[in-house]
Amino acid sequence: MRVLVYASSSRTTPDRFLDLATSLGKKLAEEGHTCVNGGGRTGCMGALNQACKDAGGKVVCVIHEKWVVDGEKFDFADEMLITRGGDLSERKSKLLENADCVISLPGGLGTFDEIMDVACRKQLGFVPEIPICVINARGFFDGLMSQIRRAVEEGLISLEKADTVHAEETAETALDWCTSQHKIARADPSQLNDDAVVPPPSVLEKEEESYVTSTLTILRNLAFLPPILFVYSWMFMQTISMFMKLSGEEAK
């Protein structure tokens, strides 16, 4: 597979996340996958690239020209793509080009932006139904996943899109999940992520509450029906009686 990895490039990235990136890079190489990323030399990206390269894997880096300075070399890259433009739009699109899945390691604002960008593109149909998985080590992405669930609960994201972003706790399980989803997608794209669509409990409770409320409203309305029918029947009989009296008087 061509695996796109989002990750930090910060020099202050904690060792526990660097170790996570190293594990992913090594596993990508061992399983023969191509590692595509933003070409960082430090942080999780640096550890990822070095581990993948050391294990004999293929690394493809997509970097904006802004960060190519003074003839800096990227020895770990088997292929280097340089993008241009006044923002990172071209770079994001080039990273996603031909990607079979997306995995995100912990990172900062750039990583969050990339995750939500690809999730949005997937939801709107601008990219294929590719698996998107964050490695939620030590609960790093708890807040992100919680916010997505909140949006579903509030009706801002439809239930069928609730599983657009998946979470696993380790590099191994994240890649295994993406691999299984990729195989499913190739066999039958309509089944991608099908087993992961589980409505949040609060959503189910709201649907049940709505059903009960609607039922009670209907029953209350039906309760008023007999009296209303009686009144209309009485008015009809009175009208007939009055008409008959008037007809009798005219006959005399």
Side-chain angles (χ1 to χ4, degrees):
M1 293 191 301
R2 188 178 175 92
V3 182
L4 170 56
V5 182
Y6 297 140
S8 75
S9 60
S10 172
R11 296 180 185 277
T12 58
T13 299
D15 288 342
R16 58 180 176 273
F17 294 149
L18 296 179
D19 292 341
L20 185 66
T22 298
S23 296
L24 179 59
K26 183 179 180 182
K27 186 171 177 63
L28 287 171
E30 291 174 346
E31 296 190 7
H33 303 303
T34 297
C35 177
V36 182
N37 64 88
R41 300 170 60 88
T42 56
C44 282
M45 265 197 285
L48 170 80
N49 287 326
Q50 195 60 58
C52 186
K53 190 66 176 177
D54 289 345
K58 181 179 180 180
V59 177
V60 176
C61 295
V62 181
I63 189 169
H64 192 279
E65 62 179 350
K66 178 178 180 179
W67 292 294
V68 181
V69 294
D70 301 327
E72 185 177 11
K73 294 183 179 180
F74 296 82
D75 297 331
F76 49 77
D78 295 287
E79 184 179 345
M80 175 67 73
L81 303 175
I82 300 175
T83 62
R84 295 173 172 78
D87 56 28
L88 298 176
S89 299
E90 182 184 340
R91 177 171 176 262
K92 290 177 184 177
S93 296
K94 185 62 69 173
L95 280 165
L96 277 167
E97 198 171 274
N98 300 318
D100 293 308
C101 67
V102 175
I103 295 177
S104 182
L105 289 157
L109 292 177
T111 301
F112 297 146
D113 173 52
E114 289 169 327
I115 294 170
M116 299 315 295
D117 178 73
V118 67
C120 183
R121 293 190 192 206
K122 177 180 175 180
Q123 178 178 318
L124 297 176
F126 288 112
V127 295
E129 285 290 322
I130 59 175
I132 303 172
C133 183
V134 296
I135 304 180
N136 195 28
R138 298 174 66 91
F140 182 82
F141 287 108
D142 280 352
L144 175 65
M145 301 305 292
S146 177
Q147 190 61 55
I148 293 175
R149 287 193 295 271
R150 172 68 184 276
V152 173
E153 292 171 4
E154 297 290 351
L156 302 175
I157 297 177
S158 60
L159 283 176
E160 59 267 24
K161 301 298 182 181
D163 63 329
T164 299
V165 179
H166 181 76
E168 291 288 343
E169 294 185 359
T170 68
E172 290 74 16
T173 56
L175 185 55
D176 289 345
W177 180 82
C178 284
T179 300
S180 66
Q181 289 294 302
H182 177 62
K183 290 179 180 178
I184 292 172
R186 292 181 64 183
D188 183 0
S190 66
Q191 298 301 311
L192 184 63
N193 287 1
D194 189 55
D195 61 336
V197 182
V198 180
S202 56
V203 174
L204 296 177
E205 291 170 2
K206 287 182 179 180
E207 290 180 350
E208 182 178 353
E209 180 181 346
S210 176
Y211 173 77
V212 172
T213 301
S214 299
T215 303
L216 290 175
T217 300
I218 293 172
L219 291 175
R220 280 198 299 268
N221 291 336
L222 289 176
F224 289 106
L225 189 58
I228 292 174
L229 290 175
F230 174 79
V231 171
Y232 277 115
S233 297
W234 180 82
M235 291 176 64
F236 177 74
M237 294 302 295
Q238 290 297 315
T239 301
I240 294 297
S241 177
M242 185 178 297
F243 177 76
M244 292 179 66
K245 287 181 180 180
L246 291 174
S247 298
E249 291 177 357
E250 289 179 358
K252 292 179 180 180

